């Protein structure tokens, strides 16, 4: 039988892999790349899921402050450092 922590770890691995996406800063731009993930990457302008743009592997998508980035089942809000 699996321990509870092992089972939780297996679920986590299915949602976001260690090579899921790459986030790069180029000049003033924050670029998101899908590294051929199974569960996908999307940029949601202003955090709007209705306006989500799927990030295609091999094609960087720019994210701006206020956007959210969806990595599998996880959501990351983009902001500026103060």
């Amino acid at each position: 039988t699996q321990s509870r922590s092992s089972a939780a770890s297996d679920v986590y691995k299915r949602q976001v892999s260690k090579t899921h996406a790459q986030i790069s800063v180029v000049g003033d731009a924050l670029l998101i790349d899908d590294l051929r993930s199974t569960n996908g990457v999307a940029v949601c302008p202003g955090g709007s899921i209705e306006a989500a743009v799927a990030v295609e592997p091999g094609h960087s998508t720019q994210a701006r402050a206020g956007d959210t980035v969806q990595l599998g089942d996880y959501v990351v809000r983009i902001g500026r450092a103060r």
Side-chain angles (χ1 to χ4, degrees):
T1 61
Q2 282 186 315
S3 70
R4 175 178 258 191
S5 63
S6 175
S9 176
D10 288 345
V11 169
Y12 178 77
K13 288 177 188 171
R14 282 183 288 202
Q15 295 172 350
V16 177
S17 66
K18 64 184 174 184
T19 58
H20 197 99
Q22 178 173 312
I23 300 172
S24 307
V25 177
V26 179
D28 289 337
L30 184 69
L31 302 177
I32 313 296
D33 289 291
D34 185 337
L35 300 177
R36 303 195 183 286
S37 66
T38 301
N39 294 317
V41 178
V43 174
C44 304
S48 172
I49 193 75
E50 293 82 19
V53 176
V55 177
E56 298 296 327
H59 299 284
S60 298
T61 300
Q62 186 171 353
R64 295 174 173 81
D67 292 350
T68 57
V69 176
Q70 188 152 1
L71 305 164
D73 293 335
Y74 293 88
V75 176
V76 177
R77 181 167 302 282
I78 305 301
R80 287 200 167 271
R82 296 176 196 219

